Amino acid sequence: MRASALLSVELGRGGRSVVRGLRSQSPMAMVPRRAAATSADGTAVVHLVGSAATPVGGDVVDLRVHVGPGARLLLRGTAATVALPGQHAGPSRSTVLIEVADGGTVEYLPEATVISSRADHQAEMSVVLGDGARVRCRETLVLGRYGERSGRLATTTHVVRGGTPLLRQRLDIGDERLTASAGYLAGARVLATETVVWDSDPVEPSSGDWWSLAPLAAGGALATAVADDAVVAEKRLAEAVSHHPDAKELEVRSW
């Protein structure tokens, strides 16, 4: 199965952000909130809705998002995604490209991705920011359904602002010895991360029991948490983000 989706948001009259372009197809549907229910600050809110089982081995799913100057978008999921093996050889693949023009804001907050046994999935997310643009991107990975081992996953994240790379990260899951290593996931079943490029950056790293918040060298910050289940992982991730200088605004907007 091949599916693609395109979303474009621009700043409209009265300072409200408006969905100017939307094209999606099964199994990846996008549903915008009615204009009358747009958030108080004028942010456009769009929900990602899975309309079929995906990704299955061999599937290729592509999402492209463009946010114009000064516009604001909250793009969030409604249910977890389960990566499954396919009938034919070959991995499934998903790509997300988010482009944010000068002064724009994107919050990309999908629900968890579960890597089922025998699945082979490749996920790539690229974020290109203009000057003064803001973004937060969350990723929660669950290694296997209840009582099963995880399949294979290779996930990469690239964030660039004004031509300067802020984050280039790759994670490979599926090697049992590596996953159990104390220097990797220490046997945890859930990994949650959030990349935050906002108005301010943490001056120093912060950490606690199985969570951390680290400033990135060229700007932005990366929050990370691990746990044995998604609920605890999300609580720990929220604790990490609470140490960000812009924590109050970030907490009000999405948790």
Side-chain angles (χ1 to χ4, degrees):
M1 178 187 296
R2 289 181 175 269
S4 62
L6 176 65
L7 174 64
S8 177
V9 176
E10 301 290 344
L11 189 63
R13 294 180 179 179
R16 288 191 172 273
S17 299
V18 180
V19 175
R20 296 295 189 191
L22 189 154
R23 186 186 72 237
S24 60
Q25 59 188 138
S26 179
M28 183 170 50
M30 291 189 290
V31 181
R33 183 184 292 180
R34 292 182 299 108
T38 301
S39 60
D41 65 355
T43 298
V45 180
V46 179
H47 295 280
L48 279 169
V49 181
S51 56
T54 190
V56 176
D59 286 357
V60 178
V61 180
D62 179 66
L63 170 63
R64 294 177 180 269
V65 178
H66 173 78
V67 173
R72 304 173 68 106
L73 169 66
L74 171 58
L75 179 59
R76 61 185 317 153
T78 59
T81 296
V82 182
L84 299 165
Q87 295 181 344
H88 306 287
S92 55
R93 180 176 175 82
S94 65
T95 60
V96 178
L97 172 61
I98 300 174
E99 298 175 312
V100 191
D102 296 355
T105 299
V106 170
E107 296 170 90
Y108 176 57
L109 308 175
E111 293 297 317
T113 297
V114 182
I115 310 302
S116 67
S117 176
R118 299 187 297 110
D120 186 358
H121 185 54
Q122 300 173 356
E124 180 177 343
M125 181 172 66
S126 299
V127 181
V128 181
L129 302 173
D131 294 334
R134 307 189 303 180
V135 71
R136 65 185 305 198
C137 297
R138 187 180 302 159
E139 182 179 57
T140 302
L141 302 173
V142 181
L143 310 187
R145 292 169 294 189
Y146 181 78
E148 74 174 8
R149 296 177 178 177
S150 171
R152 300 191 64 84
L153 169 69
T155 177
T156 60
T157 303
H158 304 296
V159 181
V160 178
R161 180 175 59 186
T164 300
L166 304 185
L167 176 66
R168 295 196 182 277
Q169 177 169 278
R170 177 184 171 103
L171 176 68
D172 291 278
I173 289 174
D175 186 310
E176 293 183 15
R177 292 177 297 176
L178 187 61
T179 302
S181 168
Y184 199 64
L185 298 181
R189 289 188 59 249
V190 181
L191 169 67
T193 61
E194 186 164 319
T195 305
V196 181
V197 182
W198 217 251
D199 297 328
S200 305
D201 295 326
V203 176
E204 299 290 341
S206 304
S207 63
D209 290 338
W210 302 107
W211 64 263
S212 67
L213 176 70
L216 303 175
L222 178 64
T224 305
V226 296
D228 290 329
D229 63 72
V231 173
V232 175
E234 290 180 357
K235 288 182 178 178
R236 289 174 177 171
L237 187 64
E239 175 67 15
V241 174
S242 74
H243 288 73
H244 193 280
D246 298 316
K248 288 186 177 180
E249 180 180 0
L250 295 170
E251 180 180 7
V252 167
R253 295 191 58 80
S254 66
W255 289 100

